[in-house]
Amino acid sequence: MANEIWTIKRCLEWTKEYLAERGEEHPRLSAEWLLCAATGLVRIDLYMRMDETLNAAQLETMHAAVVRRAKGEPLQYITGSTQFRMIDVACAPGVLIPRPETEMLVEEVLNYLDAEVLSPEAAARQRVELPWNDEVEQARKAEAALADERATAERRAANLTAADEAALGSDVLGSRAYADELADREAEEAAAQAAEAEAAEAAESELDEYGIAIEGADQETALAQDAAAPAPTEPCTARVLEVGCGTGCISLSLAWERRGHVTCTATDIEPRAIDLATKNRDALGLTADEVAFSLTNLVSSIPREEWGTFDVLVSNPPYIPTDVMRSLPHEVKDFEPDLALEGGADGLDIFRRLLNAAPYMLRAGGLFACELYEGALDAAAELCRQAGLSDVRIVHDLTDRPRIVRAIVTEPRQRQ
C-alpha cells in the first residue's frame, strides 16, 4: 500500500468499499472522518483536493485507523475528538463519548440560567419629578406673556399719527419708550437663546448609558436620575455543579457559552475522565476558577460550606438498565466504559443518589436536571415529585424520545 500512489480520491473510495464489506452502516462518512483526521483537512477540502497524493505518514495513519474501525471501534476514539455544540472535545478510550442528546441537556440548563439567574427583570427607567420643573414651567409662561405684551405695544405704536403724538404727549412717548424697551429685551432674549443653542451643541457629545445623546433639560434629568440611581452591582455569576463529567463537555460548554457569567464544579470517579476533561479545559483556554474538576464519588468532595450555594445540579449519569446493556451496539458495548453506562435494574441507581443530594447542594429555586434512559423518565419524574421538588418536567430529544427530567428544589435541606 505504501509503495503505490494513493490519491485522496482513491483512498476515499477504497476505504468506503472496505468498511461497507465489513458491515459499516455509513461507510462513506466514516471514510471521510478517517481521512480528515489523517490529513488534517476539513471535509470540503477532501473534495477540492481529490488528486493530491497522501504521503507515507498519512498512509500509515490511515491504514491503522481503517483497521481499528473495521473492528468496530468508535470513530471518536480513533480520530481523538468530536464536536459538541460550539466546542471541539478530545475523546479517548475509557471515557464516555459525548452524544447529541447531551447537547439538549446543556440547552435546558442555559435556558434556565438565562431566565432565572443571569437576566433578572430590570427596573423600568422612569422620569423623575425634579425641583426645577416648576421653574421651567413658570419661565415658559413668562415668555409667552412677554410675547403678548410686545405684540400689543407694536400694534399701538404703528397706529399713532403725528397729531396723536402731539395730543397725547408723554403718553405717546411712554408707549414709544416701552416699545424700545421691549426691543432691547427681545435682543437680550435672542442672545440668551443663541447661548442656549451653543450649549445644546456641546451637550450632544454627552451620551447616556445607551449611547444616545442627551440634550438640554433631558441632560439635567438624566444626570439627576443617575445620581439617584443605586451604584452598579457586580455582574451576576451562576454556579453549576456537574456530577459525572466524563470529557467535561457539559461544564465546558456552559462556561464557554456564558463566559464570565457561569462557573462550574465538576466531579467524576474515573481518573482518566478527570485528566481528559482537564486537557479539554486547557485547550479552550478556560481556567480552573471557571471550571474546576474533582476526582471523587458523586458529591463527596464538595466542601460543606458550598452546600446550598449552587444554582444548578446537572448530570448525564450511567442510566442504561442492566438488561438493555446486553443489546447495545457492538461499538458501544465493547468499547465504551460500563462504569459510565450501566444504571442498575431500572437505570435509576445513580439518579436516586443524585436526587437525594440535590436539596442539600442547591439553593432555593435551583435546577436539578438529568439525562436518562427513555423508558425511565416517567418513574424519574415521579421520584422527583415524591422528594418534594416542584415544576417537574420531561423533555424530549430530537427523535421525540423522552430524554431529560428537570425539576426545581423549593425547600433546600441542611444536614445536622
Side-chain angles (χ1 to χ4, degrees), residues 82-91 95-111 113 238-259 262-268 273 276-278 280-281 284 286 290-293 312-319 340 354 367-372 403-405:
T82 192
Q83 188 170 23
F84 186 86
R85 289 181 65 88
M86 298 174 63
I87 61 176
D88 288 326
V89 177
C91 299
V95 183
L96 189 70
I97 297 168
R99 264 52 174 196
E101 295 85 355
T102 309
E103 295 187 3
M104 294 190 62
L105 180 61
V106 173
E107 189 72 18
E108 285 297 314
V109 173
L110 287 175
N111 288 341
L113 292 177
R239 302 193 72 230
V240 175
L241 172 61
E242 181 192 0
V243 177
C245 65
T247 61
C249 60
I250 294 176
S251 287
L252 294 176
S253 289
L254 293 171
W256 180 259
E257 294 184 39
R258 297 295 184 273
R259 191 160 193 182
V262 173
T263 62
C264 300
T265 297
T267 71
D268 205 293
L276 186 61
T278 302
N280 283 324
R281 181 190 67 196
L284 288 170
L286 293 168
E290 293 172 294
V291 183
F293 293 111
V312 174
L313 194 165
V314 61
S315 181
N316 175 21
Y319 61 66
L354 293 172
L367 175 71
F368 175 56
C370 283
E371 177 183 333
L372 296 170
R403 184 61 61 192
I404 296 166
V405 64

Coordinates of all heavy atoms in Angstrom, one line a residue, residues 82-91 95-111 113 238-259 262-268 273 276-278 280-281 284 286 290-293 312-319 340 354 367-372 403-405:
T82 N -14.3 15.0 18.9 CA -15.6 15.2 18.4 C -16.0 16.6 18.6 O -15.4 17.3 19.5 CB -16.6 14.2 19.0 OG1 -17.8 14.2 18.2 CG2 -17.0 14.5 20.4
Q83 N -17.1 17.0 17.9 CA -17.6 18.3 18.1 C -18.8 18.3 19.0 O -19.7 17.4 18.9 CB -18.0 19.0 16.8 CG -18.4 20.5 16.9 CD -18.5 21.2 15.6 OE1 -18.8 20.5 14.6 NE2 -18.4 22.5 15.6
F84 N -18.9 19.2 20.0 CA -20.0 19.2 20.9 C -20.5 20.7 21.0 O -19.7 21.5 21.5 CB -19.6 18.7 22.3 CG -20.7 18.6 23.3 CD1 -21.5 17.5 23.3 CD2 -21.0 19.6 24.2 CE1 -22.6 17.4 24.2 CE2 -22.0 19.5 25.1 CZ -22.8 18.4 25.1
R85 N -21.7 21.0 20.5 CA -22.2 22.3 20.5 C -21.2 23.3 19.8 O -20.9 23.1 18.6 CB -22.6 22.8 21.9 CG -23.9 22.1 22.4 CD -24.3 22.6 23.8 NE -24.7 24.0 23.8 CZ -25.9 24.4 23.5 NH1 -26.9 23.5 23.3 NH2 -26.2 25.7 23.6
M86 N -20.6 24.2 20.6 CA -19.7 25.2 20.0 C -18.2 24.9 20.2 O -17.3 25.6 19.8 CB -20.0 26.6 20.6 CG -21.4 27.1 20.3 SD -21.8 28.6 21.2 CE -20.6 29.7 20.5
I87 N -17.9 23.7 20.8 CA -16.5 23.4 21.1 C -16.1 22.1 20.5 O -16.9 21.2 20.3 CB -16.3 23.4 22.6 CG1 -17.1 22.3 23.3 CG2 -16.6 24.8 23.2 CD1 -16.9 22.2 24.8
D88 N -14.8 21.9 20.3 CA -14.2 20.6 20.0 C -13.7 19.9 21.3 O -13.1 20.6 22.2 CB -13.0 20.8 19.1 CG -13.4 21.2 17.7 OD1 -14.5 20.8 17.2 OD2 -12.7 22.0 17.0
V89 N -14.0 18.7 21.4 CA -13.8 17.9 22.6 C -12.9 16.7 22.3 O -13.2 15.9 21.4 CB -15.1 17.4 23.3 CG1 -14.8 16.6 24.5 CG2 -16.0 18.6 23.6
A90 N -11.8 16.6 23.0 CA -10.9 15.4 22.8 C -11.6 14.2 23.4 O -12.2 14.3 24.5 CB -9.6 15.7 23.5
C91 N -11.5 13.1 22.8 CA -12.0 11.8 23.2 C -10.9 10.8 23.4 O -9.9 10.8 22.6 CB -13.1 11.3 22.3 SG -14.5 12.4 22.0
V95 N -13.4 6.8 28.5 CA -14.2 7.9 28.8 C -15.4 8.0 27.8 O -15.2 7.8 26.6 CB -13.4 9.3 28.8 CG1 -14.3 10.4 29.2 CG2 -12.2 9.2 29.7
L96 N -16.6 8.1 28.4 CA -17.8 8.1 27.5 C -17.7 9.2 26.4 O -17.3 10.3 26.7 CB -19.0 8.4 28.4 CG -20.4 8.2 27.7 CD1 -20.6 6.7 27.4 CD2 -21.5 8.8 28.6
I97 N -18.2 8.8 25.2 CA -18.2 9.8 24.1 C -19.4 10.7 24.2 O -20.5 10.2 24.4 CB -18.2 9.0 22.8 CG1 -16.9 8.2 22.6 CG2 -18.4 9.9 21.6 CD1 -17.0 7.1 21.5
P98 N -19.3 12.0 24.1 CA -20.5 12.9 24.1 C -21.5 12.5 23.0 O -21.1 12.2 21.9 CB -19.9 14.3 23.9 CG -18.4 14.1 24.3 CD -18.0 12.7 23.9
R99 N -22.8 12.7 23.4 CA -23.9 12.4 22.5 C -24.6 13.7 22.1 O -24.7 14.6 23.0 CB -24.8 11.4 23.1 CG -24.7 9.9 22.8 CD -23.4 9.3 23.0 NE -23.4 7.9 22.7 CZ -22.4 7.1 23.2 NH1 -21.4 7.6 23.8 NH2 -22.4 5.8 22.9
P100 N -25.3 13.7 21.0 CA -26.2 14.8 20.6 C -27.2 15.1 21.7 O -27.6 16.3 21.9 CB -26.8 14.5 19.3 CG -25.8 13.5 18.7 CD -25.3 12.7 19.9
E101 N -27.8 14.1 22.3 CA -28.8 14.2 23.3 C -28.3 15.1 24.5 O -29.1 15.9 25.1 CB -29.3 12.9 23.9 CG -30.0 12.0 22.9 CD -29.0 11.2 22.1 OE1 -27.8 11.4 22.2 OE2 -29.5 10.3 21.3
T102 N -27.0 15.0 24.8 CA -26.5 15.8 25.9 C -26.4 17.2 25.5 O -26.4 18.1 26.4 CB -25.1 15.2 26.3 OG1 -25.2 13.8 26.5 CG2 -24.6 15.8 27.6
E103 N -26.3 17.6 24.3 CA -26.3 19.0 23.9 C -27.6 19.6 24.3 O -27.7 20.8 24.7 CB -26.1 19.1 22.4 CG -24.7 18.6 21.9 CD -24.5 18.9 20.4 OE1 -25.4 19.5 19.8 OE2 -23.5 18.5 19.9
M104 N -28.7 18.8 24.2 CA -30.0 19.3 24.7 C -30.1 19.6 26.2 O -30.7 20.5 26.7 CB -31.1 18.4 24.2 CG -31.3 18.3 22.8 SD -32.8 17.4 22.3 CE -34.1 18.4 23.1
L105 N -29.4 18.7 26.9 CA -29.3 18.9 28.4 C -28.6 20.3 28.7 O -29.1 21.0 29.6 CB -28.5 17.8 29.0 CG -28.3 17.8 30.5 CD1 -29.6 17.8 31.2 CD2 -27.4 16.6 31.0
V106 N -27.5 20.6 28.0 CA -26.9 21.9 28.1 C -27.8 23.0 27.8 O -27.9 24.0 28.5 CB -25.6 22.0 27.2 CG1 -25.0 23.4 27.3 CG2 -24.6 20.9 27.7
E107 N -28.6 22.8 26.7 CA -29.6 23.9 26.3 C -30.6 24.1 27.4 O -31.0 25.3 27.7 CB -30.3 23.4 25.0 CG -31.1 24.5 24.4 CD -30.3 25.6 23.8 OE1 -29.1 25.4 23.5 OE2 -30.9 26.7 23.5
E108 N -31.1 23.1 28.0 CA -32.1 23.2 29.1 C -31.5 24.0 30.3 O -32.1 24.9 30.9 CB -32.5 21.9 29.6 CG -33.5 21.1 28.7 CD -34.8 21.9 28.6 OE1 -35.4 22.4 29.6 OE2 -35.2 22.0 27.4
V109 N -30.2 23.7 30.6 CA -29.6 24.5 31.7 C -29.4 25.9 31.3 O -29.6 26.8 32.2 CB -28.2 23.8 32.1 CG1 -27.4 24.7 33.1 CG2 -28.4 22.4 32.6
L110 N -28.9 26.2 30.1 CA -28.7 27.6 29.7 C -30.0 28.3 29.7 O -30.1 29.5 30.1 CB -28.1 27.6 28.3 CG -26.6 27.2 28.2 CD1 -26.2 27.2 26.7 CD2 -25.7 28.2 29.0
N111 N -31.1 27.7 29.2 CA -32.4 28.4 29.2 C -32.8 28.8 30.7 O -33.3 29.9 30.9 CB -33.5 27.5 28.6 CG -33.3 27.4 27.1 OD1 -32.6 28.2 26.5 ND2 -33.9 26.3 26.5
L113 N -30.7 29.2 33.3 CA -29.8 30.3 33.8 C -30.2 31.6 33.2 O -30.2 32.6 33.9 CB -28.4 29.9 33.5 CG -27.8 28.7 34.2 CD1 -26.4 28.4 33.7 CD2 -27.8 28.9 35.7
A238 N -23.5 32.6 37.8 CA -24.2 31.4 38.2 C -23.2 30.3 38.6 O -22.1 30.2 38.0 CB -25.1 30.9 37.1
R239 N -23.6 29.5 39.5 CA -22.7 28.4 40.0 C -23.4 27.1 39.6 O -24.6 26.8 40.0 CB -22.5 28.4 41.5 CG -21.9 29.7 42.0 CD -21.3 29.6 43.4 NE -20.2 28.7 43.4 CZ -20.0 27.7 44.3 NH1 -21.0 27.4 45.1 NH2 -18.9 27.0 44.3
V240 N -22.7 26.2 38.9 CA -23.2 24.9 38.4 C -22.3 23.8 39.0 O -21.1 23.9 39.0 CB -23.1 24.9 36.9 CG1 -23.6 23.5 36.4 CG2 -24.0 26.0 36.3
L241 N -23.0 22.8 39.4 CA -22.4 21.5 39.9 C -22.7 20.4 38.9 O -23.9 20.1 38.7 CB -22.9 21.2 41.3 CG -22.4 19.8 41.9 CD1 -20.9 19.7 41.9 CD2 -23.0 19.6 43.2
E242 N -21.7 19.8 38.3 CA -21.9 18.7 37.4 C -21.4 17.4 38.0 O -20.2 17.4 38.5 CB -21.3 18.9 36.1 CG -21.6 17.7 35.1 CD -20.7 17.8 33.8 OE1 -19.9 18.7 33.7 OE2 -20.8 16.8 33.0
V243 N -22.1 16.4 38.0 CA -21.7 15.1 38.6 C -21.5 14.1 37.4 O -22.5 13.9 36.7 CB -22.7 14.6 39.6 CG1 -22.2 13.2 40.1 CG2 -22.8 15.5 40.8
G244 N -20.3 13.5 37.3 CA -20.0 12.5 36.2 C -19.7 13.3 35.0 O -20.4 13.2 34.0
C245 N -18.6 14.0 35.0 CA -18.3 15.0 33.9 C -17.8 14.3 32.6 O -17.9 14.9 31.5 CB -17.3 16.0 34.4 SG -15.7 15.4 34.8
G246 N -17.2 13.1 32.7 CA -16.6 12.5 31.5 C -15.6 13.4 30.8 O -14.6 13.8 31.4
T247 N -15.8 13.7 29.6 CA -14.9 14.6 28.8 C -15.0 16.0 29.3 O -14.1 16.9 28.9 CB -15.3 14.6 27.3 OG1 -16.6 15.1 27.2 CG2 -15.2 13.2 26.7
G248 N -16.0 16.4 30.1 CA -16.1 17.7 30.6 C -17.0 18.6 29.7 O -17.2 19.8 29.9
C249 N -17.6 17.9 28.7 CA -18.4 18.7 27.6 C -19.5 19.5 28.2 O -19.7 20.6 27.7 CB -18.9 17.7 26.6 SG -20.0 16.4 27.2
I250 N -20.2 19.1 29.2 CA -21.3 19.9 29.7 C -20.8 21.1 30.4 O -21.2 22.3 30.1 CB -22.2 19.0 30.7 CG1 -22.9 17.9 30.0 CG2 -23.2 19.9 31.4 CD1 -23.6 17.0 30.9
S251 N -19.9 21.0 31.4 CA -19.4 22.1 32.1 C -18.6 23.1 31.2 O -18.8 24.3 31.4 CB -18.5 21.7 33.3 OG -19.3 21.1 34.3
L252 N -17.8 22.5 30.3 CA -17.0 23.4 29.5 C -17.9 24.2 28.5 O -17.7 25.3 28.2 CB -16.0 22.5 28.7 CG -15.0 21.8 29.5 CD1 -14.1 20.9 28.7 CD2 -14.1 22.8 30.3
S253 N -19.0 23.5 28.0 CA -19.9 24.3 27.2 C -20.6 25.4 27.9 O -20.8 26.5 27.4 CB -21.0 23.3 26.6 OG -20.4 22.5 25.6
L254 N -21.1 25.1 29.1 CA -21.7 26.2 29.9 C -20.8 27.3 30.2 O -21.2 28.5 30.0 CB -22.2 25.6 31.2 CG -23.3 24.5 31.1 CD1 -23.6 23.8 32.5 CD2 -24.6 25.2 30.6
A255 N -19.6 27.0 30.6 CA -18.6 28.1 30.9 C -18.2 28.8 29.6 O -17.9 30.0 29.7 CB -17.4 27.5 31.6
W256 N -18.1 28.1 28.5 CA -17.6 28.7 27.3 C -18.7 29.6 26.7 O -18.4 30.7 26.2 CB -17.3 27.6 26.3 CG -16.8 28.1 25.0 CD1 -17.5 28.2 23.8 CD2 -15.5 28.6 24.6 NE1 -16.8 28.7 22.8 CE2 -15.5 29.0 23.3 CE3 -14.3 28.8 25.4 CZ2 -14.4 29.5 22.6 CZ3 -13.2 29.4 24.7 CH2 -13.3 29.7 23.4
E257 N -20.0 29.1 26.7 CA -21.0 29.9 26.1 C -21.6 31.0 26.9 O -22.2 31.9 26.4 CB -22.2 28.9 25.7 CG -21.8 27.9 24.6 CD -23.0 27.0 24.2 OE1 -24.1 27.6 24.1 OE2 -22.7 25.8 24.0
R258 N -21.3 31.0 28.2 CA -21.6 32.1 29.1 C -20.4 32.6 29.9 O -20.4 32.7 31.1 CB -22.8 31.7 30.0 CG -24.1 31.4 29.4 CD -24.7 32.5 28.7 NE -26.0 32.2 28.1 CZ -26.2 31.6 26.9 NH1 -25.1 31.3 26.2 NH2 -27.4 31.3 26.5
R259 N -19.3 32.8 29.2 CA -18.0 33.0 29.8 C -18.1 34.3 30.6 O -18.6 35.3 30.2 CB -16.9 33.1 28.8 CG -15.5 33.1 29.5 CD -14.4 32.8 28.6 NE -13.2 32.5 29.3 CZ -12.0 32.2 28.8 NH1 -11.9 32.1 27.5 NH2 -11.0 32.0 29.5
V262 N -20.8 32.2 34.3 CA -21.0 30.8 34.8 C -19.7 30.2 35.2 O -18.7 30.2 34.5 CB -21.7 29.9 33.7 CG1 -21.8 28.5 34.3 CG2 -23.1 30.4 33.3
T263 N -19.7 29.7 36.5 CA -18.6 28.9 36.9 C -19.1 27.5 37.3 O -20.2 27.4 37.7 CB -17.9 29.5 38.2 OG1 -18.9 29.6 39.3 CG2 -17.4 30.9 37.9
C264 N -18.2 26.5 37.0 CA -18.7 25.1 37.2 C -17.7 24.4 38.1 O -16.5 24.5 38.1 CB -18.7 24.4 35.9 SG -19.9 25.2 34.7
T265 N -18.3 23.5 38.9 CA -17.5 22.5 39.7 C -18.0 21.1 39.1 O -19.2 20.9 39.1 CB -17.8 22.6 41.2 OG1 -17.4 23.9 41.7 CG2 -17.1 21.5 41.9
A266 N -17.1 20.3 38.7 CA -17.4 19.1 38.0 C -16.7 17.9 38.6 O -15.5 18.0 38.9 CB -17.2 19.1 36.5
T267 N -17.4 16.8 38.9 CA -16.8 15.6 39.5 C -16.9 14.4 38.6 O -17.7 14.3 37.8 CB -17.4 15.3 40.9 OG1 -18.7 14.8 40.7 CG2 -17.5 16.6 41.7
D268 N -16.0 13.5 38.9 CA -16.0 12.1 38.2 C -15.2 11.2 39.1 O -14.2 11.6 39.7 CB -15.5 12.2 36.8 CG -16.1 11.1 35.9 OD1 -15.8 9.9 36.2 OD2 -16.9 11.4 35.0
A273 N -11.1 10.3 33.1 CA -12.1 11.3 32.8 C -11.6 12.7 33.3 O -11.7 13.7 32.5 CB -13.4 11.0 33.3
L276 N -8.7 13.9 31.1 CA -9.2 14.3 29.7 C -10.0 15.6 29.8 O -9.8 16.5 28.9 CB -10.0 13.2 29.1 CG -10.5 13.4 27.6 CD1 -9.3 13.5 26.7 CD2 -11.4 12.3 27.2
A277 N -10.8 15.7 30.8 CA -11.6 17.0 31.0 C -10.7 18.1 31.2 O -10.9 19.2 30.7 CB -12.6 16.8 32.1
T278 N -9.6 17.9 32.0 CA -8.7 19.0 32.3 C -7.9 19.4 31.0 O -7.7 20.6 30.7 CB -7.7 18.5 33.3 OG1 -8.4 18.2 34.5 CG2 -6.7 19.6 33.6
N280 N -9.2 19.1 28.0 CA -10.1 19.9 27.1 C -10.3 21.3 27.7 O -10.4 22.2 26.9 CB -11.5 19.2 27.1 CG -11.5 18.0 26.2 OD1 -10.9 18.0 25.1 ND2 -12.2 16.9 26.6
R281 N -10.3 21.5 29.0 CA -10.4 22.8 29.5 C -9.2 23.7 29.1 O -9.4 24.8 28.7 CB -10.5 22.7 31.1 CG -10.6 24.1 31.7 CD -10.4 24.0 33.2 NE -9.1 23.6 33.6 CZ -8.7 23.1 34.8 NH1 -9.6 22.9 35.7 NH2 -7.4 22.8 35.0
L284 N -9.3 24.9 25.6 CA -10.2 26.0 25.3 C -9.7 27.4 26.0 O -10.3 28.4 25.7 CB -11.6 25.7 25.9 CG -12.4 24.6 25.2 CD1 -13.6 24.2 26.0 CD2 -12.8 25.2 23.8
L286 N -9.8 28.0 29.1 CA -10.6 28.2 30.4 C -9.7 27.9 31.6 O -8.7 27.2 31.5 CB -11.8 27.4 30.4 CG -12.9 27.7 29.4 CD1 -13.9 26.6 29.4 CD2 -13.6 29.0 29.7
E290 N -12.8 29.0 36.4 CA -14.0 28.9 35.7 C -14.7 27.5 35.7 O -15.9 27.4 35.7 CB -13.7 29.4 34.2 CG -13.3 30.8 34.1 CD -12.9 31.2 32.7 OE1 -11.8 30.7 32.3 OE2 -13.6 32.0 32.1
V291 N -13.8 26.5 35.5 CA -14.3 25.1 35.6 C -13.3 24.3 36.4 O -12.1 24.1 36.0 CB -14.4 24.5 34.2 CG1 -15.0 23.0 34.3 CG2 -15.3 25.3 33.3
A292 N -13.7 23.8 37.6 CA -12.9 23.1 38.5 C -13.3 21.6 38.4 O -14.5 21.3 38.6 CB -13.0 23.6 39.9
F293 N -12.3 20.7 38.2 CA -12.6 19.3 38.1 C -12.1 18.6 39.4 O -11.0 18.9 39.9 CB -12.0 18.7 36.9 CG -12.6 19.1 35.6 CD1 -11.8 19.9 34.7 CD2 -13.8 18.8 35.2 CE1 -12.4 20.4 33.5 CE2 -14.4 19.2 34.0 CZ -13.7 20.0 33.2
V312 N -27.5 25.2 39.9 CA -27.9 24.0 39.1 C -27.1 22.8 39.5 O -25.9 22.9 39.8 CB -27.6 24.3 37.6 CG1 -27.8 23.0 36.7 CG2 -28.4 25.5 37.0
L313 N -27.7 21.7 39.6 CA -27.1 20.4 39.6 C -27.4 19.6 38.4 O -28.6 19.3 38.2 CB -27.5 19.6 40.9 CG -26.6 18.4 41.2 CD1 -26.9 17.9 42.7 CD2 -26.7 17.2 40.3
V314 N -26.5 19.3 37.5 CA -26.7 18.7 36.2 C -25.9 17.4 36.1 O -24.8 17.4 36.6 CB -26.4 19.7 35.1 CG1 -25.0 20.1 35.1 CG2 -26.8 19.1 33.7
S315 N -26.5 16.4 35.4 CA -25.7 15.2 35.3 C -26.2 14.4 34.1 O -27.4 14.4 33.8 CB -25.9 14.3 36.6 OG -25.1 13.1 36.4
N316 N -25.3 13.7 33.4 CA -25.6 12.7 32.5 C -25.0 11.4 33.1 O -23.9 10.9 32.7 CB -24.9 13.0 31.1 CG -25.1 11.9 30.1 OD1 -26.0 11.0 30.2 ND2 -24.2 11.8 29.1
P317 N -25.7 10.8 34.1 CA -25.2 9.7 34.8 C -25.3 8.4 34.0 O -25.9 8.3 33.0 CB -26.1 9.7 36.0 CG -27.4 10.1 35.5 CD -27.1 11.1 34.5
P318 N -24.7 7.3 34.5 CA -24.9 6.0 34.0 C -26.4 5.7 34.1 O -26.9 5.7 35.2 CB -24.1 5.1 34.9 CG -23.0 6.0 35.5 CD -23.7 7.3 35.7
Y319 N -27.1 5.4 32.9 CA -28.5 5.2 33.0 C -29.1 4.0 32.2 O -30.3 3.9 32.1 CB -29.2 6.5 32.7 CG -29.0 7.0 31.3 CD1 -29.5 6.3 30.1 CD2 -28.4 8.3 31.1 CE1 -29.3 6.8 28.9 CE2 -28.3 8.8 29.8 CZ -28.7 8.1 28.7 OH -28.6 8.6 27.5
A340 N -19.6 4.1 33.0 CA -20.3 5.3 32.5 C -21.7 5.0 31.9 O -22.4 5.9 31.5 CB -19.4 6.1 31.6
L354 N -28.4 11.1 43.2 CA -28.3 12.5 42.9 C -29.5 13.2 43.4 O -29.4 14.4 43.9 CB -28.2 12.6 41.4 CG -26.9 12.1 40.7 CD1 -27.0 12.2 39.2 CD2 -25.7 12.9 41.2
L367 N -32.1 24.4 40.0 CA -32.5 23.5 39.0 C -31.7 22.1 39.1 O -30.5 22.1 39.3 CB -32.3 24.0 37.6 CG -32.5 23.0 36.4 CD1 -34.0 22.8 36.3 CD2 -32.0 23.6 35.1
F368 N -32.5 21.0 39.1 CA -31.9 19.7 39.1 C -32.3 19.1 37.7 O -33.5 19.0 37.4 CB -32.5 18.9 40.2 CG -32.1 17.4 40.2 CD1 -30.8 17.0 40.2 CD2 -33.1 16.4 40.2 CE1 -30.4 15.7 40.2 CE2 -32.8 15.1 40.2 CZ -31.4 14.7 40.2
A369 N -31.3 18.7 36.9 CA -31.6 18.3 35.5 C -30.7 17.1 35.2 O -29.5 17.1 35.4 CB -31.3 19.4 34.5
C370 N -31.3 16.0 34.7 CA -30.6 14.8 34.4 C -31.0 14.2 33.0 O -32.2 14.2 32.7 CB -30.8 13.7 35.4 SG -29.9 13.9 37.0
E371 N -30.0 13.7 32.3 CA -30.3 12.9 31.1 C -30.5 11.5 31.5 O -29.7 11.0 32.3 CB -29.2 13.1 30.1 CG -29.4 12.2 28.8 CD -28.2 12.3 27.9 OE1 -27.5 13.4 27.9 OE2 -28.0 11.4 27.1
L372 N -31.5 10.8 31.0 CA -31.8 9.4 31.5 C -32.3 8.5 30.3 O -32.6 9.0 29.2 CB -32.9 9.5 32.6 CG -32.5 10.2 33.9 CD1 -33.8 10.3 34.7 CD2 -31.4 9.4 34.6
R403 N -36.1 12.2 27.3 CA -34.7 12.1 27.5 C -34.2 12.8 28.7 O -33.2 12.4 29.4 CB -33.9 12.6 26.3 CG -32.4 12.5 26.3 CD -32.0 11.0 26.4 NE -32.5 10.3 25.2 CZ -32.5 9.0 25.1 NH1 -32.0 8.2 26.1 NH2 -32.9 8.4 24.1
I404 N -34.8 13.9 29.1 CA -34.3 14.7 30.3 C -35.4 14.9 31.3 O -36.6 15.2 30.9 CB -33.8 16.0 29.7 CG1 -32.6 15.8 28.8 CG2 -33.4 17.0 30.9 CD1 -32.3 17.1 28.0
V405 N -35.1 14.8 32.5 CA -36.0 15.2 33.6 C -35.4 16.4 34.3 O -34.2 16.5 34.5 CB -36.3 14.1 34.6 CG1 -35.0 13.7 35.4 CG2 -37.4 14.5 35.6

